[in-house]
Every structure is written in structure tokens, then in C-alpha cells.
Amino acid sequence: IPFLKKPPVVPVIRLQGGIGTGRNALSDAGLAPLIEKAFRMKPAAVALVINSPGGSAVQSSLIAARIRRLAGEKGVKVHAFVEDVAASGGYWLACAADEIWVDDSSIVGSIGVVFASFGFPELMARQGVERRVVTAGKSKSFADPFLPQKPEDVERLRALQTPIHQAFIAHVKARRGARLAEGDLFNADVWVGQQAVDLGLV
């Protein structure tokens, strides 16, 4: 109806599941149209409903950066509502909001970086399987699960993880600022509900 004042609009963006580039994963490319549409609606605020254990650090960073850029351009506040979990990359996404709200039983945190794999060298030896690898470049078979783990591979993995972890920490500090409690909040621990509130994480 012309000239009738419209009620305030708060679009809800549901961020549920793992973060990455695989099928059904949360990715910047996949979410971009939804996020852009939400901010085009001239909203009173934007709500993020988060239920994610994390995943790709890069995709988490890209999604969060898109939300922050649009929030800044449109002058819109963003509120994140955590359902079961906002851990690791899920918490990275939550920190894109100006305020983070949790249930008493929500699991929050895991500000860390993980690399996980399996090792099969003994099983292969028992089965009489011989591993044959030809590489150009000595690092091409780095962290091969079919070979015994090497200390130098572990050291290199940690060297790769450290800048990613530092970027995660910088994002949390930039978004939560003085609300964060003193102490080590960045060792990949998780907290539940009120514990996370008391620590300033939410």
C-alpha cells in the first residue's frame, strides 16, 4: 500500500554445517548471493543463525569478510545466534557479528588449527604392499600417510598452521576487543553457554 510505513525487516542467514568447498559445505561463493540479498533489503539488522563445527579457514575468512564489508557499507548491525555449536571456523563466522548470542548449552570456541591424517606403513608392510613414489621436488611427498611420520614433516606442518592460527586470533581480537577476558583463550579449548559469556567470547 503506497505511503504506508513498512515494518522493520531482519533477514535471517542460516549458516549450518561444515565450511569448505565441497558439496553442501558452506562456502563464500555459495553464500554470496544470499548474503548480498540480505543486505540489499534495507534491513534493520541482519541475523546469522550458526550451527557449524568449522572447516576451511580460508572460506571462513572470506565469508566473514563479506559480511563485515556489507555491514560497513550499509551501516547495519549483525547479530549471530549460536544453536548447538560455533566451533573453530563456526566461531570465526560468529565473530563477523557485532553481538553473539548463545543458548546455555551452546558449544563455542576451538580457536585453533588442526591437520589430521592416518598412517598405514606397518599395515602395508604386513600385507606385502610396496609404496612407489617418484617426485620432482623433495617436498612433493610431504606428510605421506603411507610412510612413517617424520619430525621434519611435523615441524613444517606446524609452520603452516601458525600463520593461520595467528590470523584467527587477530580476527577474534579485532571483533571482540576489550570484551575478552584475560588468559589463554586461543589454545583451541571449547566452552559452554555461560562460560563463553563470562570469557567475553559471546
Side-chain angles (χ1 to χ4, degrees):
I1 302 173
F3 313 113
L4 190 64
K5 189 176 180 180
K6 294 179 181 178
V9 174
V10 180
V12 177
I13 302 171
R14 180 167 285 276
L15 303 174
Q16 183 166 334
I19 303 165
T21 54
R23 190 176 178 183
N24 299 324
L26 300 172
S27 70
D28 181 55
L31 289 168
L34 188 64
I35 295 170
E36 301 275 348
K37 180 181 177 183
F39 282 96
R40 276 199 309 269
M41 296 171 70
K42 298 182 180 177
V46 169
L48 310 175
V49 178
I50 298 174
N51 201 348
S52 174
S56 164
V58 172
Q59 293 303 313
S60 301
S61 177
L62 291 173
I63 296 164
R66 182 180 297 278
I67 291 167
R68 287 316 315 153
R69 176 177 57 79
L70 289 167
E73 288 175 2
K74 307 293 185 182
V76 173
K77 291 285 186 184
V78 179
H79 293 261
F81 298 88
V82 179
E83 292 186 335
D84 296 87
V85 61
S88 196
Y91 184 65
W92 196 316
L93 297 182
C95 284
D98 298 288
E99 300 290 346
I100 306 171
W101 307 89
V102 296
D103 183 83
D104 285 338
S105 300
S106 299
I107 296 172
V108 175
S110 189
I111 304 166
V113 182
V114 64
F115 171 84
S117 68
F118 297 93
F120 304 103
E122 293 174 8
L123 174 64
M124 290 178 62
R126 282 198 304 271
Q127 297 301 318
V129 179
E130 180 185 358
R131 174 79 163 146
R132 294 176 180 172
V133 180
V134 178
T135 68
K138 66 178 183 179
S139 296
K140 202 62 183 171
S141 62
F142 160 66
D144 189 327
F146 301 103
L147 296 173
Q149 183 167 269
K150 302 174 192 172
E152 56 267 32
D153 284 356
V154 174
E155 188 176 331
R156 286 190 59 215
L157 281 169
R158 290 207 170 112
L160 293 171
Q161 290 174 322
T162 297
I164 300 170
H165 192 203
Q166 291 303 318
F168 194 174
I169 292 169
H171 174 64
V172 174
K173 285 183 174 179
R175 299 299 306 144
R176 299 302 297 171
R179 292 176 285 192
L180 293 171
E182 294 293 328
D184 189 3
L185 303 178
F186 309 115
N187 62 5
D189 278 338
V190 294
W191 295 273
V192 176
Q194 187 62 47
Q195 295 173 338
V197 172
D198 294 340
L199 292 169
L201 293 166
V202 301

